[in-house]
Every structure is written in C-alpha cells, then in structure tokens.
Amino acid sequence: MRFADKVVVVTGASRGIGKEIARAFAAEGAKVACVATTENGANATASEIGNGAKGYACDVSDSAAVDSMIESVVADLGTPAVLVNNAGITKDTLILRMKDEDFDRVINVNLKGAFNCIRAVAKPMMKARYGRIVNLSSVIGLHGGAGQANYAASKAGVVGLTLSVAKELGSRNITCNAIAPGFIETDMTEDLPAEFREHVEKTAPAGRLGTAADIAPAVLFFSSEESAYVTGQTLTVDGGLFL
Ligand code: NAP
C-alpha cells in the first residue's frame, strides 16, 4: 500500500495503459482522479477501481479546462501527490500527406496537454513541498518512426519537458521522470499490420508485444517514495525491442 491516502491524477484513464495505471494505484491505496475526454469514460474507470476514485471529463489540450479540473481535484480529493501524464493520441501518416491539423492536434494533446497538467499541479505540489510527475513518452520519441513525424516530435518533446521540470522543481521535492513504452497491446496499436507484429515478436528479446500491466509497475516506481533520488530520467519499457 505505497500510496495509501495519496491523491493521484491519471490522464487518459478510460482505456489502455492509463486504465491499468489507475487500477494499480487504487490497489495500493491511492485516491485516483481518473481523467478522460468524456464523463462516461472517466466515471467508468473510477467506479471500477473504487477506493474513492473520481472521474473528471477534460480535454488536456485545453489549458483552462485543465486548470479547472485540477482545482476540482484539489477541492474533492486533496492536493495531488502524483500526476501521470498518460493521455495521448496518434494521427499517423506520411509527411507529404500530413495536414497542419494532424500535426497540431497530436502536439497539442501529447505535449502541450502534459505541460498544461504540470503547470496546473505545480503550485499545489510546490506548496506541499512534495510531488511525483510521470510522463508517458514512447520509443518512437527516442528513435523516430516513419509516418509518425507528429507523434515522434510530441514524444521527444515530452523527454525535454521532463528534463526541464526535473531541474526547475527538484528543489521543492518534486521529481519528474518519463516512461518510453515499446509496442503495447491497446486500442492505439490494434491496427498494426500483422507483419509488423511478427517483426516485434521475432526481434524483441521478450518475444512479444507488451501489455498495459508491463507499464504500470514502472509508473508506480517513479511515483513512489523509493524513487526520491531519481529524476529527469526516461525509462524504456519495450521488452528489449530497441536494444
Ligand atoms: P489508448 O488506448 O488509445 O488510450 C488513450 C487514452 O488517452 C484514452 O483514455 C483517451 O480518453 C485519452 N485521451 C485522448 N485524448 C485526450 C485528450 N485530449 N484529453 C484527455 N484524454 C485524452 O492509448 P494507450 O495505448 O493506452 O496509450 C497511453 C499513452 O501511452 C499515450 O500517451 C501513448 O502515446 C503512450 N504510448 C503507447 C504505446 C502503445 O503501444 N500503446 C507505446 C508508447 C507510448 P478517451 O477514452 O476519452 O478518448
């Protein structure tokens, strides 16, 4: 019960990796604020995981909506000890076909969304002189991906954001780290071509794609007391695919 009575905000908690992260926190005693674009999605996870969890509908790319969502979390549950910036989208296509709006939307959700949430929790966390921030990057942000210029740029940006937040807020006992997952079985990867899946299964030493349950324990480590002396790091969790 490493998170007994701690308030944890998880964005993108309605599905996939975020839902599993929210479940893992609640299982260790946290009161989880489950954030998703719709009330139904956010509330469904909150009622499933229990332990005082509450759902919040919020588009993380909208800074005013994020500020008011964090204000509500503080009023309803208390000051967040942990923020997990997990909300993310893809709009993959080749550069020559990529529309301005495809580029902008992915940057606005994946990168600016993380920034919006960090800025909103920074004040209460600084006041509490405690905080753990964990950002979801991607192996694509570290290595690039054909057809993913927008996504790769957003996830590389998340690494730079993580480093800067670690430097700026470290003296207030706030750490900031990132996880770079490989290919994980969720809605985001359900359309991967069969040949690509086979390639991952053959190439990764782990011999398979990852699951959300492979990612959550790494997020919980960076969110715990045990990682007090670890900050600004990006941990790849990809079954060895990019070794
Ligand atoms: P997913 O199954 O597609 O779920 C995405 C989640 O993000 C959903 O809960 C969705 O909420 C939420 N979301 C999307 N846009 C949002 C917005 N504007 N505001 C608030 N919430 C929003 O994705 P996933 O595979 O679990 O990925 C989770 C994170 O891990 C993402 O940041 C992704 O880039 C990263 N990642 C995933 C993989 C992978 O292989 N799956 C690999 C590397 C990194 P709604 O249900 O309301 O739409």
Side-chain angles (χ1 to χ4, degrees):
M1 301 296 272
R2 285 176 292 176
F3 302 96
D5 295 326
K6 286 216 157 82
V7 176
V8 175
V9 178
V10 180
T11 69
S14 55
R15 299 183 271 130
I17 295 171
K19 185 173 180 181
E20 179 58 25
I21 292 169
R23 195 204 55 72
F25 273 115
E28 291 212 36
K31 284 188 280 178
V32 186
C34 303
V35 182
T37 60
T38 65
E39 247 170 58
N40 279 353
N43 289 341
T45 297
S47 60
E48 196 178 317
I49 67 174
N51 202 50
K54 209 165 158 23
Y56 296 85
C58 174
D59 177 347
V60 294
S61 71
D62 177 343
S63 61
V66 168
D67 288 348
S68 103
M69 177 272 289
I70 293 296
E71 272 171 29
S72 302
V73 171
V74 172
D76 297 342
L77 305 177
T79 295
V82 180
L83 165 67
V84 182
N85 281 310
N86 165 82
I89 57 167
T90 52
K91 285 191 183 291
D92 296 351
T93 191
L94 298 173
I95 288 167
L96 293 185
R97 290 190 196 143
M98 193 174 285
K99 298 194 180 85
D100 286 4
E101 54 265 36
D102 296 334
F103 190 87
D104 293 347
R105 184 66 188 153
V106 170
I107 297 288
N108 283 337
V109 173
N110 297 3
L111 178 56
K112 184 144 183 284
F115 169 75
N116 288 338
C117 293
I118 289 167
R119 185 174 56 187
V121 297
K123 214 173 181 181
M125 280 185 177
M126 284 162 84
K127 212 170 146 201
R129 293 205 156 258
Y130 186 87
R132 296 277 185 270
I133 299 170
V134 185
N135 299 322
L136 271 287
S137 178
S138 166
V139 289
I140 300 301
L142 304 178
H143 302 275
Q148 295 195 290
N150 50 359
Y151 184 78
S154 73
K155 293 298 183 179
V158 163
V159 173
L161 176 66
T162 301
L163 291 164
S164 300
V165 173
K167 286 189 170 178
E168 194 170 322
L169 302 184
S171 66
R172 310 300 178 101
N173 196 23
I174 299 169
T175 66
C176 185
N177 292 285
I179 307 286
F183 292 90
I184 309 300
E185 304 270 16
T186 68
D187 293 350
M188 190 174 271
T189 48
E190 72 178 353
D191 294 333
L192 280 180
E195 317 81 72
F196 186 79
R197 280 174 178 275
E198 279 162 28
H199 165 76
V200 172
E201 286 159 10
K202 278 199 196 124
T203 319
R208 60 175 175 85
L209 276 78
T211 65
D214 291 316
I215 304 302
V219 174
L220 266 66
F221 169 67
F222 280 148
S223 304
S224 70
E225 299 285 348
E226 295 146 359
S227 64
Y229 204 55
V230 184
T231 195
Q233 302 304 302
T234 298
L235 176 66
T236 295
V237 184
D238 70 345
L241 182 63
F242 279 85
L243 284 177

